């Protein structure tokens, strides 16, 4: 990244463009207190904006945690729904609690289990969001390609792997590089250097 993205500039753009929402703030506090990894606030605003532009009917999220990233999708949805999937029941229950608080449950479906297996049940996915185990990104996208709508968008978090994406000794970095290469060859893709690196791809 260029030097213009120092802390002060980042704080400036984060504060300028963050979505103001009390439930999101509560979720951020919960994440911090429990050391639970969630997408960065600016990435959330990005997901929200993309959803507003795309107007999807169906967003499927692999690895929803307690619903922070999914909340950004849900807030921007007009008619569609977001499917939250996590294999930890307590995460999904917490997501349900936060969505109820934000009045967004009618825009969401909550599922517990393996994200790739559950996602296979859905057809015509307009936005597929990957935030599950990093070793499975490539498998997930290959498995779900036939479930995507004609002009689907794929978004993946952590594709710069905390700045270690070029590491030769980190297995996750190596697998994420394979994923990034696949996405660059098969789709029109870009990595947006916000948060931990967000990959955006279209067919
Ligand atoms: C980084 S956290 C998700 C954070 C969430 N996307 C957010 O930004 O608010 C990753 C989550 O994925 C879940 N997870 C990882 N692999 C999974 C899988 N194969 N199936 C279902 N859930 C998975 C974990 O339980 C964890 O809650």
């Amino acid at each position: 990244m260029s030097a213009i993205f120092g802390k002060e500039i980042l704080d400036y753009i984060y504060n300028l463009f963050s979505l103001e929402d009390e439930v999101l703030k509560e979720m951020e506090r919960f994440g911090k207190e429990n050391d639970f990894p969630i997408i960065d606030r600016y990435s959330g605003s990005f997901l929200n904006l993309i959803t507003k532009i795309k107007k999807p009917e169906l967003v499927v999220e692999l690895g929803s945690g307690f619903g922070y990233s999914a909340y950004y999708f849900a807030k921007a949805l007009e008619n569609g729904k977001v499917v939250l999937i996590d294999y930890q029941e307590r995460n999904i229950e917490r997501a349900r609690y936060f969505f109820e608080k934000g009045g967004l449950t009618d825009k969401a479906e909550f599922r517990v289990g393996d994200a790739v297996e559950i996602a296979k049940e859905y057809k015509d996915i307009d936005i597929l969001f990957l935030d599950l185990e990093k070793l499975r990104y490539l498998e997930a996208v290959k498995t779900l390609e036939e479930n995507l709508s004609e002009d689907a968008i794929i978004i993946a978090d952590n594709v710069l792997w905390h700045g270690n994406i070029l590491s030769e000794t980190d297995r996750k970095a190596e697998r994420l590089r394979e994923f990034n290469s696949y996405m660059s060859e098969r789709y029109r893709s870009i990595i947006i250097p916000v948060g931990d690196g967000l990959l955006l791809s279209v067919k």
Side-chain angles (χ1 to χ4, degrees), residues 7-77:
K7 180 164 177 354
E8 277 180 11
I9 298 286
L10 277 178
D11 283 349
Y12 166 71
I13 55 179
Y14 272 45
N15 292 327
L16 194 60
F17 297 117
S18 288
L19 218 62
E20 280 304 315
D21 184 291
E22 286 311 311
V23 180
L24 281 173
K25 284 186 187 151
E26 190 183 335
M27 291 169 113
E28 285 167 6
R29 281 195 296 276
F30 177 86
K32 211 171 195 168
E33 282 161 19
N34 293 280
D35 209 13
F36 194 112
I38 53 176
I39 56 160
D40 137 289
R41 184 187 287 187
Y42 201 57
S43 304
S45 296
F46 176 81
L47 298 183
N48 185 265
L49 198 60
I50 282 286
T51 309
K52 277 202 185 293
I53 296 166
K54 173 82 178 148
K55 302 188 193 331
E57 288 294 319
L58 179 60
V59 180
V60 175
E61 187 183 77
L62 314 183
S64 293
F66 60 89
Y68 182 73
S69 47
Y71 196 98
Y72 282 96
F73 286 118
K75 277 269 287 189
L77 285 170

Side-chain angles (χ1 to χ4, degrees), residues 146-166:
E146 61 190 45
N147 299 59
L148 299 174
S149 67
E150 196 52 48
D151 52 359
I153 292 177
I154 302 167
I155 308 172
D157 192 31
N158 306 113
V159 298
L160 297 178
W161 199 227
H162 315 296
N164 293 322
I165 191 65
L166 299 178

Side-chain angles (χ1 to χ4, degrees), residues 27 30 36-39 59-70 82-96 99 108-122 129-134 136-137 158:
M27 291 169 113
F30 177 86
F36 194 112
I38 53 176
I39 56 160
V59 180
V60 175
E61 187 183 77
L62 314 183
S64 293
F66 60 89
Y68 182 73
S69 47
V82 54
V83 181
L84 291 80
I85 317 174
D86 202 285
Y87 49 31
Q88 304 261 12
E89 190 159 7
R90 66 169 187 273
N91 289 341
I92 290 297
E93 282 318 306
R94 245 175 227 125
R96 199 191 292 276
F99 270 60
E109 205 177 307
F110 301 92
R111 304 287 307 267
V112 177
D114 182 76
V116 181
E117 284 309 308
I118 290 179
K120 278 199 248 173
E121 295 172 24
Y122 295 86
F129 179 56
L130 277 67
D131 200 9
L132 73 165
E133 318 153 59
K134 309 310 152 194
R136 293 188 65 194
Y137 272 27
N158 306 113

